[in-house]
Amino acid sequence: MPVPKSSESGAGMKKSVVMCALVTGLALGPMGGAGWAAQQPGAPASAAPRVSYPVGEVVSDAPLHVRQKPTVYSGVVRTLRPGQRVLLNCKARGGWVDGNPVWYRLQNAKGWVSARYVHNHKPVRSC
């Protein structure tokens, strides 16, 4: 590196120091030597982002059948109580129930419920 002249020593030296600090900061990242994606202390090793599923509420007066497929002719897997809340994975068209062809696939129950008897509190994605 050439030695700067006496008139440039102050400004030139400051630019060199600033440039060196900038390059070092970019190379090390905001976490210092730990890197950009360093694990936070106390966090589990496989901390993946959680998926949030919409909640649905059973609005029928009687127990609601959870079916194997989105049709009333499919076998019953289980039943849900009126007022019970469930996680809705996705929606699809199926057999019509009281003028409504939409069915919701449940997240944990591996079955389908008619949207006619389940109120979704947030939009549900298509399957």
Side-chain angles (χ1 to χ4, degrees):
M1 183 171 178
V3 177
K5 296 180 184 176
S6 61
S7 63
E8 296 177 358
S9 65
M13 185 61 105
K14 286 181 184 176
K15 283 184 182 178
S16 295
V17 170
V18 169
M19 186 58 89
C20 184
L22 181 63
V23 169
T24 303
L26 289 174
L28 292 177
M31 301 297 289
W36 287 92
Q39 182 178 346
Q40 297 297 321
S46 62
R50 294 181 136 278
V51 176
S52 175
Y53 293 100
V55 174
E57 185 175 350
V58 177
V59 294
S60 65
D61 293 331
L64 178 65
H65 294 304
V66 177
R67 303 212 177 247
Q68 292 173 348
K69 296 179 182 176
T71 175
V72 294
Y73 301 110
S74 181
V76 176
V77 177
R78 62 181 277 213
T79 57
L80 302 174
R81 297 179 319 276
Q84 185 172 347
R85 292 176 178 252
V86 290
L87 295 178
L88 306 174
N89 188 348
C90 59
K91 67 181 177 180
R93 288 182 64 98
W96 289 73
V97 177
D98 286 342
N100 189 339
V102 178
W103 287 71
Y104 295 129
R105 181 156 176 82
L106 300 181
Q107 174 57 26
N108 297 327
K110 305 250 183 188
W112 296 83
V113 291
S114 171
R116 167 64 180 88
Y117 297 108
V118 176
H119 174 72
N120 57 312
H121 293 279
K122 289 186 180 178
V124 179
R125 69 177 181 88
S126 295
C127 295

